[in-house]
Amino acid sequence: MTTFKEIRGQLIRSVSSDPANPQVGEIWYNNTIGVLKGYKNIGAAWISSGNLPIAKIGPGGAGTQTAGLIFSGQTPSTPAYTSSTEEYDGSIWTAGGNMNTARSGLNGAGTQTAGLGFGGYVPPAPGNKNSTEEYDGSVWTTGGNLGTARYNGSRAGTQTAGLFAGGATYPTPLTRNSTEEYDGSAWTAGGNLNTARRDLNGDGTQTAAVTFGGRLVASLTSAQNATEEYDGSAWTAGGNLTTARFQLGGTGSQTAAIAFGGKVTGGNNSVLSELYNGTSWTSGPTMAFAQAVMGSGGTQTANFSAGGASDTSPLISNTQEYTDPSFGAQKITTS
């Protein structure tokens, strides 16, 4: 008698971890997390992925699409500001070690096993935070304090060579142009941004960073399209974003960045993404859903966006990923 195995081939493999180099069309069952997975090309696109264990807005983000970090943020729970950390494997989020200081509006840099979280805001007023914490993959430890306590700035770099630019302090000034550089133990002043902004984003390295978007004041009418590039000492103007926005996500490098989501003038959430080549921005694929005030990590061609706000809710746990298959196939969860 002909069997299903003879018709269809071998049974699906049950493995304890995902294959290191899967082939397009390959399917396997990850018995550690109880998920059936497959590998396929989907075209350059955004897709929905596994939800965070808890909805949070304004978290820090770091790492890569297959080894990401989200930490702290504001939640609907009591207390409203969480110290929780979540680690991402490209499909699901699992609990990591808690931060020492719960906050929102902080920034992140580095990797899942060598992360950096800095700045932020926690009521009561003034609530600005200068604390820095370093993550080793399981535990957060205290690092050197920022020179200026602030939140909602732009990040770049690594745990031992970090960068923080712009941001806000409450109650004044509501926007800042200052830059600080981290060497693994202490922050020192760097060159000022040309345009003081808050709610901007960026990425890159300490000596080759890019920052983009933001707003001038805490209003819905001052969205910015400015891009600036940093060489380790000074910021210079780059090509403007096609669509001005603030509270956006962003990852990549100075010559290969991606900006996505955020809020446009008037406060509506955006589904737009744009790609930067070091000179100018071009339109990228539309996001799976509008998202702002999220945490993000990865590169221009493989990244994630988690938490924040959407058009349907002011506080979400949703995750979405962008992948350009020109740089590799996309791993997907099939059940």
Side-chain angles (χ1 to χ4, degrees):
M1 181 179 69
T2 302
T3 65
F4 178 85
K5 181 177 179 180
E6 290 170 334
I7 296 171
R8 293 294 188 182
Q10 297 296 316
L11 298 174
I12 293 172
R13 290 185 301 148
S14 178
V15 295
S16 60
S17 60
D18 295 338
N21 296 293
Q23 302 298 308
V24 173
E26 185 176 353
I27 297 174
W28 65 93
Y29 179 75
N30 186 316
N31 56 45
T32 301
I33 60 176
V35 175
L36 182 67
K37 293 185 174 184
Y39 211 70
K40 72 173 185 179
N41 270 326
I42 59 171
W46 289 88
I47 61 170
S48 295
S49 190
N51 287 354
L52 290 163
I54 184 172
K56 53 171 66 177
I57 191 169
T64 68
Q65 189 191 79
T66 56
L69 275 182
I70 290 291
F71 40 91
S72 268
Q74 187 174 359
T75 77
S77 306
T78 301
Y81 292 83
T82 181
S83 61
S84 69
T85 296
E86 290 79 36
E87 301 179 358
Y88 189 55
D89 69 357
S91 299
I92 63 169
W93 294 92
T94 55
N98 288 349
M99 298 195 82
N100 296 290
T101 301
R103 45 196 147 150
S104 183
L106 73 166
N107 284 84
T111 68
Q112 190 181 83
T113 56
L116 188 68
F118 41 93
Y121 177 85
V122 182
N128 309 303
K129 295 298 178 183
N130 63 1
S131 56
T132 297
E133 298 187 38
E134 301 174 2
Y135 193 60
D136 65 2
S138 59
V139 177
W140 290 93
T141 55
T142 301
N145 286 344
L146 287 161
T148 300
R150 49 188 161 143
Y151 58 98
N152 290 353
S154 178
R155 54 80 188 273
T158 66
Q159 188 183 82
T160 57
L163 191 73
F164 190 25
T169 48
Y170 184 85
T172 58
L174 289 176
T175 56
R176 287 191 169 272
N177 65 357
S178 55
T179 297
E180 296 187 43
E181 301 175 3
Y182 191 61
D183 65 3
S185 59
W187 292 91
T188 55
N192 289 345
L193 287 165
N194 294 291
T195 301
R197 288 170 281 161
R198 57 177 289 162
D199 301 310
L200 66 169
N201 213 328
D203 210 343
T205 67
Q206 190 182 80
T207 57
V210 61
T211 188
F212 38 83
R215 56 179 170 169
L216 300 181
V217 293
S219 76
L220 302 178
T221 60
S222 63
Q224 298 294 295
N225 63 3
T227 298
E228 297 189 38
E229 300 176 1
Y230 192 61
D231 64 2
S233 59
W235 291 94
T236 56
N240 288 344
L241 284 164
T242 303
T243 301
R245 48 190 138 158
F246 57 95
Q247 295 179 344
L248 69 167
T251 61
S253 68
Q254 191 180 85
T255 57
I258 182 170
F260 45 87
K263 296 180 182 291
V264 297
T265 296
N268 291 330
N269 294 325
S270 175
V271 295
L272 299 178
S273 70
E274 299 184 38
L275 306 173
Y276 191 60
N277 63 8
T279 303
S280 60
W281 293 91
T282 56
S283 295
T286 299
M287 298 183 80
F289 53 87
Q291 195 171 14
V293 208
M294 67 290 249
S296 57
T299 66
Q300 185 191 64
T301 57
N303 53 70
F304 69 87
S305 178
S310 71
D311 280 343
T312 57
S313 175
L315 207 160
I316 63 174
S317 61
N318 303 72
T319 300
Q320 53 186 318
E321 298 179 351
Y322 172 73
T323 299
D324 185 337
S326 301
F327 299 85
Q330 169 66 39
K331 183 175 71 179
I332 63 167
T333 299
T334 57
S335 71

